[in-house]
Every structure is written in structure tokens, then in C-alpha cells.
Amino acid sequence: MYKRIESAKDLPEEWDVLCKDNIYMSRSFMQFMEKVNYCNQSYHLFYKEDKLYSCFMMFERKFNLFIFTKYKVNLPMKFVYLPLSVSHPSIVWNEDKKEVTDVLHRMKGIKILINIGKEELDGFSKGHYLPICVLENKWNTWEEYLGSMRANYRRRILQALKKGECIQYELLKDNKDFTDEWYNLYEQVFDHSEYSLEKLTADFFRNDIAKTVLLKIDGKVEAFIQLIEDRNNDMLIFEFCGYNYEIGHKYDIYYNMMAEIMKYAIKHKFKYVQFGQTAYDAKMKFGAKMYYNYYLLSHSNRIFNWLIKKYNNFLQYKVTDYSFNVFREV
């Protein structure tokens, strides 16, 4: 049985049970996203013998299908994706995907599922999307982590820390105090991003699920980091950041932010650090590994769908396989 729900407030409690491993798909967070970034969200539930076994969240928006190329063609699209540019999917599915596939095929126009792993769907083209960087934390102290690195990688971090030795770090007590001035720091990062899917509102950063770390120089906030503590998966998630690009190089702010994230993960004993997508060179020099990530794409029109399959290689992200030998052999 298939059921469509138009508002997160009407989702059943069993939605949270099924989505327990995806912190962004909780009913409370879905309701929050409808308030701060409404984009015609809908919720799709699949039952067998009255038990929820698959579900997804979808939203609709015009978007550039050719984002990974030099071309720009904005088209109306249906996204099975979280409307906040994170590396989590917005679908939970069972091995039996027939009903999910049938429902998606009945929808008109372009449908795209983003941040998909090994799964495939009949009639959908699969392509590379932005890879995800994850680091497995094996250290008990920051000094132990640095000591495990090869000299050139350790030296680069120490150089950054020297540049940023004047930076003071402060955990924001309540995200409701997040200011529009700090939001401007996020806008600077967004405007410099090579691939920007979703620009968030200032109200998003006033959420109650993230930890916000402020970076101050001479008493003024010049950067911030938002982190998610996902204890269900023993993972610290680097969600979003913002910083003043005018002084970014002088204080090596991005590297100092990365170092602070590692210190936080080690101090709070997270097994994994998910550094997210983009800026792969820097993240992998901290020891993260790159994991391939995919999208599934289809059009209800047979001719257009044939063209998508034919030119799918042109649409997908061109993965660069970085090779860094960060840690010494034990």
C-alpha cells in the first residue's frame, strides 16, 4: 500500500522508527525544514501488511540539470533529496523496490534521487554525484593524532595553527542567537562554492540539532562551524560553515576549522567524522577517505529518458581520485 502525505506534522510515529539512522529525516526536523525552507515538500510511505517498510521525502524546484558542466539550463525537477545540501539521502528503502519504482515512474517530468549508494532503480540512469569524505577516528588525544601523521602533513597543520594562534573558539549556547552578520559569513562561502545546490536561510542556522562553534579574532566572530552529533551512527558531521574571505588566507581559517573539528571529534570520542562534500584536497590531507556517491535520474517522457541515458556520462560529476598517504605505518 502506498500513501502520500503533504505535511510533516501528519507523519506517523513509525516514520521516525524507520528513519532512525538518518538524523535529517526525523519528523521534527522535517517540520523545521518546512518552516525555514518550504519547497513543496511531500512524504511518500509504503506499507506491507500494515507495516511501513520504505519511505522518501520529495520536493520540487527549478534547477540546473547541467550543474557539473559549463552549461546552465534550469528545468523543473522533482528531488528525492534533502533541501539543505548535505550528504545524506532522503529515502529509506527495502530490498523490494518495485512499488517505489512504480510510484516514481507515474510522476511526470524529471525525477532525481541524490546521495544514493549501491541501489539502482529500473528505468533510472545512474551517475557519479559529489563524493563523501569520512575519517575513522582511532585516536584518544589530539597529540596522538598529530603524532600518527607523516611529517609533511603534520607540518602543514602546525603551520596553520601557528597562523591562527590568535583565534579563540566558543561554543554558542543557543542557536537562536545566531545573527544575520554571521549568516553573511555563510553567504561568502556559498558564493565561492563551485557547486551550490541549495542556499539556506538565516533561520536554518537557528536550528536546535546542531552545535555552533564560533571562531573569534580580537573579540569579533570571523567564522563559524555547525556540527551535528549523530550518536546513533557514532558520527560527528561537519554540516556548514562560514568565514570572512578577506582574512581567510592570513589566518588560514579553513585549515584551523578542520583542526577544530578533529579536536572536537577526539575529545567527544566519535568513531567517525563525516567531512561532507567538496574541498577534497584539504579534507583528505587530514586523513579522510573519499567514498563514491551517486544519483539516479529519469524522465517520464520516453524520448527524453532515452537522451538522459545516452548522455548521462556528460551530466555526472567527474571524480578526481586523490592519493594521499597521510599516516605513518604502525
Side-chain angles (χ1 to χ4, degrees):
M1 182 181 74
Y2 163 66
K3 185 176 182 180
R4 173 175 173 142
I5 293 177
E6 301 299 330
S7 174
K9 67 180 176 59
D10 297 324
L11 289 171
E13 292 182 7
E14 54 195 328
W15 174 281
D16 280 346
V17 176
L18 185 63
C19 301
K20 66 182 185 303
D21 291 330
N22 188 335
I23 195 168
Y24 294 105
M25 283 188 71
S26 69
R27 291 179 300 160
S28 59
F29 192 74
M30 293 287 100
Q31 290 180 56
F32 172 75
M33 287 304 299
E34 287 180 359
K35 291 178 181 178
V36 301
N37 190 21
Y38 183 75
C39 43
N40 199 26
Q41 288 100 322
S42 58
Y43 307 87
H44 304 259
L45 296 78
F46 302 84
Y47 291 86
K48 279 184 180 178
E49 299 177 355
D50 295 327
K51 182 178 180 181
L52 184 65
Y53 76 96
S54 290
C55 67
F56 64 83
M57 188 279 291
M58 173 179 278
F59 69 92
E60 301 179 31
R61 179 161 291 178
K62 280 192 173 182
F63 187 72
N64 178 22
L65 181 61
F66 302 91
I67 186 172
F68 298 130
T69 74
K70 62 181 179 180
Y71 304 105
K72 185 174 182 179
V73 182
N74 286 328
L75 299 168
M77 299 172 64
K78 293 179 173 66
F79 287 85
V80 178
Y81 175 64
L82 295 160
L84 64 158
S85 295
V86 293
S87 51
H88 285 57
S90 73
I91 185 168
V92 177
W93 43 18
N94 193 275
E95 290 181 5
D96 183 1
K97 302 179 178 64
K98 184 181 185 307
E99 193 172 11
V100 173
T101 305
D102 291 344
V103 167
L104 288 168
H105 279 313
R106 289 198 297 269
M107 296 178 180
K108 300 297 183 183
I110 302 172
K111 289 88 60 173
I112 185 167
L113 293 77
I114 295 179
N115 292 330
I116 302 301
K118 298 178 180 178
E119 292 83 4
E120 296 185 3
L121 291 177
D122 291 339
F124 280 75
S125 299
K126 188 170 187 176
H128 280 285
Y129 187 63
L130 297 170
I132 301 169
C133 284
V134 179
L135 182 147
E136 182 177 357
N137 177 25
K138 303 175 183 178
W139 305 276
N140 295 311
T141 66
W142 169 251
E143 291 73 21
E144 186 180 318
Y145 164 71
L146 283 180
S148 70
M149 304 181 89
R150 293 184 181 275
N152 52 329
Y153 297 102
R154 181 171 59 253
R155 186 182 308 114
R156 174 66 182 89
I157 293 175
L158 292 175
Q159 288 173 346
L161 293 176
K162 180 66 176 177
K163 276 188 173 184
E165 61 185 357
C166 64
I167 299 174
Q168 294 179 316
Y169 298 88
E170 178 184 318
L171 184 65
L172 185 63
K173 292 181 180 179
D174 192 333
N175 283 346
K176 291 179 181 177
D177 296 328
F178 191 92
T179 70
D180 290 339
E181 185 178 1
W182 303 345
Y183 178 68
N184 175 258
L185 300 174
Y186 160 75
E187 289 185 306
Q188 290 188 48
V189 172
F190 181 88
D191 291 340
H192 284 83
S193 298
E194 187 175 5
Y195 306 113
S196 301
L197 269 75
E198 193 74 20
K199 185 175 182 179
L200 297 167
T201 64
D203 282 337
F204 170 82
F205 295 95
R206 299 177 181 121
N207 66 74
D208 60 2
I209 72 164
K211 303 286 187 181
T212 303
V213 180
L214 305 175
L215 283 70
K216 293 183 175 181
I217 299 175
D218 295 330
K220 182 182 178 183
V221 175
E222 298 288 2
F224 73 87
I225 314 163
Q226 275 208 338
L227 304 170
I228 298 287
E229 295 184 339
D230 182 2
R231 288 296 181 183
N232 281 346
N233 296 295
D234 204 4
M235 179 178 288
L236 181 69
I237 302 170
F238 174 25
E239 192 177 40
F240 296 105
C241 70
Y243 66 90
N244 183 350
Y245 267 73
E246 290 185 3
I247 63 172
H249 179 72
K250 178 180 179 180
Y251 297 104
D252 212 342
I253 287 179
Y254 192 77
Y255 246 71
N256 274 282
M257 285 196 297
M258 296 287 290
E260 184 64 17
I261 293 168
M262 278 305 305
K263 290 179 182 179
Y264 191 102
I266 293 169
K267 178 181 178 180
H268 296 278
K269 301 186 183 304
F270 285 93
K271 185 174 181 180
Y272 301 101
V273 183
Q274 200 225 75
F275 283 113
Q277 297 156 305
T278 71
Y280 299 109
D281 182 89
K283 292 170 181 177
M284 295 183 73
K285 286 178 180 176
F286 272 80
K289 292 184 179 180
M290 179 187 289
Y291 294 87
Y292 290 159
N293 195 21
Y294 302 91
Y295 64 77
L296 296 172
L297 179 64
S298 179
H299 198 294
S300 57
N301 182 286
R302 291 183 179 181
I303 295 175
F304 287 142
N305 206 38
W306 178 84
L307 289 171
I308 286 173
K309 289 182 178 180
K310 183 176 177 63
Y311 296 104
N312 186 46
N313 187 58
F314 175 73
L315 298 174
Q316 63 185 320
Y317 178 76
K318 304 301 185 289
V319 178
T320 299
D321 286 314
Y322 295 92
S323 179
F324 299 117
N325 192 10
V326 175
F327 300 110
R328 294 183 291 105
E329 295 181 5
V330 179

